[in-house]
Amino acid sequence: MGAVPRVLSVAGTDPTGGAGIQADLKSIAAAGGYGMAVVTALVAQNTTGVRAIHRPDTGFLAGQLNAVSDDVTLDAVKIGMLFDAGIARTVRDWLAATRPPHVVLDPVLVATSGDRLSGDGLESALAEVIPLTDLVTPNVAELGILLGEPAAVSWPELIGQATRLAARHGVRVLAKGGHLASDDARDALAGPGGEVRIFSAPRVDTVHTHGTGCSLSASLATHRARTDSWEAAIPRAKQWLSASLAAGADLDVGTGRGPVSPLAVLWDRGGVHAPDPATVRTTWWNGIADLRARIHDTAFVTGLGQGTLDPRAFAWFLAQDLVYLREFARVLSRTAALAPTPEEQVFWAGCSRDALVGETEVHTRWIEPRHRFTAAPAPATTRYTDHLLAVTTRGDYATAVAAVLPCLWIYHDVGHRLGLSTVAGNPFADWIRSYQDPGVERMTEQAIDIATTHAASASDARRTAMQAVFRTSAEHELAFFRAPTQASAA
Ligand SMILES: Nc1ncnc2c1ncn2[C@@H]1O[C@H](COP(=O)(O)OP(=O)(O)OP(=O)(O)O)[C@@H](O)[C@H]1O
Ligand SMILES: Cc1ncc(COP(=O)(O)O)c(N)n1
């Protein structure tokens, strides 16, 4: 076999793309295989049910099968809907003549919608196909029908039936437990010698399961060609299926039981759904709406706006702010050192300078020089600066940028909101005005632009990490705004 397994699906169609060969081709691709498809029957169906089935003659089916196997070396085969005895026997004869490796049979009898997908004599003809396959994947109902027994209603019954079918035909049987009550998505693999192994994956709470069985069997065939055992292939296929079921919620296909999303895992990895910077901006800002509301409601911020803040709390805040700004300037210098471009390096270095020079100048109007930078850092100050130093020490520019952003953005926002509501004669008016400085606004906008541009082009995992760090910094902002009034009340 080459690097990419060549996997053939022999199955019926689903024009809405959720089941049958359409699902199989996507599932084979998602598992890293090259998919091919031979159509057994054309099904007029959608997510709500089956309307009609057109059965091409079996001579043409044999023609399709031979066209593939005469030309292409097959690494695995998945067999789905065989519809009736004539089709099943044509496939049986082709299997007997070509003996492809790793054949998975999904004995499709009924669709998720409850509609029958089998015609005359299929059940008995399937018994002739099964011995030519390696793995059969019946659901609870199909397993019962294949054995001529009532469907299992418990795990011990299902395992017993899987073991009996495996022994009867000398194949492996993966009895799918999707329709049995359990907290996980559990299937039982029974070998012809009576050995049983249980495989579990996360169960997804969803109604959108159209094509689950088809997708699993196609994925299994592909993974089997890429690994050395069914035991290795099954967990891979099941993990992927759980993720694809979960991602099915993002699809809006049909009004019935919608399809799983076989390629969602690849879209995530390839950044297909990466947001643009504007979307990141809105998402991050909305993601701290609760914290921003609490900041605006702190006794410190409302007291500043109304001019009623205890001057001792304000003095305490200024002293802590200076201590904070000195550390913040160090953090910004480290961020500058990590910047990938000279422009961004200069920007953060400028921010660092501003934090110490510009801001300190504002503070000097309120604090005598000998009291500047002398306060012992309060716990909220230390916790905030420790967090920022820790993030920048990791050496990752994108998370460093996300961590420093709330300080600029929230302060600017607080100043802006206070400016709108400040009462005449407010003793803190000068201070509030300093936050509405156009230079501060420009700097904030540029920092937002840098952070959201990096986030937009980052992987999902990295973007999530950036947002988490951004929120943690915003939590420290809240604690910092709460501290002055807590300290002066104590
Ligand atoms: N809600 C779920 N979350 C995760 N995995 C599931 C869920 N439901 C079923 N599965 C898994 O999907 C595969 C198909 O199982 P199921 O028993 O539903 O087969 P099926 O009846 O052939 O499929 P379908 O429901 O599409 O007709 C099994 O591996 C099963 O464990
Ligand atoms: C052509 C075809 N094959 C199989 C199924 C079963 O689908 P499901 O996986 O939802 O049971 C289907 N609906 N259509």
Side-chain angles (χ1 to χ4, degrees):
M1 193 196 87
V4 180
R6 295 147 291 189
V7 184
L8 174 65
S9 162
V10 181
T13 62
D14 173 5
T16 60
I21 60 159
Q22 285 87 345
D24 291 346
L25 288 173
K26 296 174 207 175
S27 304
I28 293 165
Y34 175 78
M36 296 166 279
V38 162
V39 177
T40 53
L42 292 113
V43 185
Q45 63 172 318
N46 56 30
T47 61
T48 65
V50 175
R51 297 182 177 183
I53 299 176
H54 173 70
R55 175 195 186 280
D57 70 70
T58 50
F60 189 72
L61 172 61
Q64 291 184 75
L65 288 165
N66 292 329
V68 177
S69 58
D70 286 349
D71 184 32
V72 182
T73 304
L74 297 175
D75 298 307
V77 176
K78 172 254 157 93
I79 300 171
M81 175 182 175
L82 291 175
F83 187 53
D84 65 14
I87 293 176
R89 294 205 168 98
T90 305
V91 172
R92 176 203 62 189
D93 293 345
W94 175 79
L95 284 174
T98 54
R99 296 313 313 250
H102 311 315
V103 180
V104 181
L105 171 69
D106 183 18
V108 175
L109 297 169
V110 181
T112 309
S113 56
D115 296 308
R116 279 184 74 83
L117 288 169
S118 58
D120 292 341
L122 179 62
E123 282 89 347
S124 55
L126 278 176
E128 299 167 29
V129 179
I130 293 174
L132 294 165
T133 68
D134 300 289
L135 179 72
V136 188
T137 62
N139 64 18
V140 175
E142 290 156 353
L143 184 54
I145 294 170
L146 289 174
L147 284 166
E149 298 176 7
V153 292
S154 69
W155 268 97
E157 271 179 49
L158 188 74
I159 291 170
Q161 289 191 337
T163 311
R164 283 200 290 287
L165 189 71
R168 182 186 293 180
H169 296 290
V171 291
R172 290 179 185 77
V173 174
L174 184 72
K176 297 178 289 189
H179 300 282
L180 281 185
S182 103
D183 291 338
D184 56 355
R186 209 179 298 171
D187 305 329
L189 177 67
E195 62 279 19
V196 174
R197 221 177 123 176
I198 306 294
F199 292 88
S200 168
R203 178 175 281 275
V204 180
D205 185 14
T206 179
V207 294
H208 300 304
T209 57
H210 182 56
T212 314
C214 303
S215 304
L216 177 75
S217 50
S219 180
L220 280 172
T222 314
H223 280 301
R224 178 62 187 87
R226 303 181 69 215
T227 54
D228 57 6
S229 69
W230 293 106
E231 284 78 4
I234 293 169
R236 292 184 190 204
K238 283 184 65 65
Q239 283 297 329
W240 160 81
L241 186 59
S242 290
S244 304
L245 276 159
D250 297 336
L251 300 176
D252 184 13
V253 175
T255 54
R257 285 181 175 269
V260 305
S261 188
L263 296 169
V265 174
L266 299 189
W267 295 340
D268 281 351
R269 264 188 243 146
V272 170
H273 293 306
D276 57 16
T279 309
V280 173
R281 179 184 182 132
T282 316
T283 309
W284 287 16
W285 194 235
N286 291 345
I288 59 164
D290 56 328
L291 299 172
R292 288 190 285 118
R294 283 155 74 192
I295 288 170
H296 290 298
D297 288 345
T298 53
F300 178 77
V301 173
T302 50
L304 262 186
Q306 290 161 5
T308 54
L309 179 67
D310 179 345
R312 281 170 307 168
F314 187 58
W316 191 91
F317 169 82
L318 289 180
Q320 289 302 313
D321 203 33
L322 270 187
V323 173
Y324 169 83
L325 282 170
R326 190 155 171 229
E327 292 306 313
F328 190 54
R330 289 190 219 275
V331 165
L332 291 167
S333 297
R334 286 171 186 241
T335 309
L338 296 170
T341 63
E343 290 76 19
E344 291 182 20
Q345 188 177 346
V346 164
F347 171 72
W348 294 114
C351 290
S352 173
R353 186 183 180 281
D354 254 47
L356 270 186
V357 180
E359 295 298 324
T360 312
E361 199 182 287
V362 177
H363 286 68
T364 52
R365 288 189 225 142
W366 303 81
I367 308 184
E368 286 177 47
R370 66 194 169 91
H371 290 315
R372 278 175 230 155
F373 301 112
T374 55
T381 313
T382 307
R383 278 195 288 268
Y384 194 177
T385 53
D386 279 358
H387 157 71
L388 294 174
L389 284 167
V391 173
T392 42
T393 304
R394 277 185 230 152
D396 178 60
Y397 177 64
T399 41
V401 164
V404 299
L405 189 56
C407 175
L408 302 169
W409 203 349
I410 291 177
Y411 264 72
H412 175 63
D413 184 53
V414 167
H416 177 72
R417 290 222 212 172
L418 283 175
L420 296 178
S421 63
T422 297
V423 294
N426 185 330
F428 308 108
D430 267 5
W431 173 263
I432 293 168
R433 258 195 299 280
S434 74
Y435 277 98
Q436 292 146 18
D437 180 78
V440 173
E441 174 156 16
R442 264 196 311 277
M443 193 157 75
T444 306
E445 281 301 321
Q446 198 170 342
I448 295 170
D449 191 48
I450 290 174
T452 55
T453 303
H454 279 276
S457 61
S459 69
D460 278 358
R462 210 166 147 78
R463 189 165 43 249
T464 305
M466 288 175 77
Q467 191 180 352
V469 153
F470 173 79
R471 186 173 163 91
T472 304
S473 293
E475 281 164 359
H476 286 295
E477 283 290 328
L478 172 60
F480 196 81
F481 277 113
R482 277 186 172 157
T485 50
Q486 286 166 348
S488 63

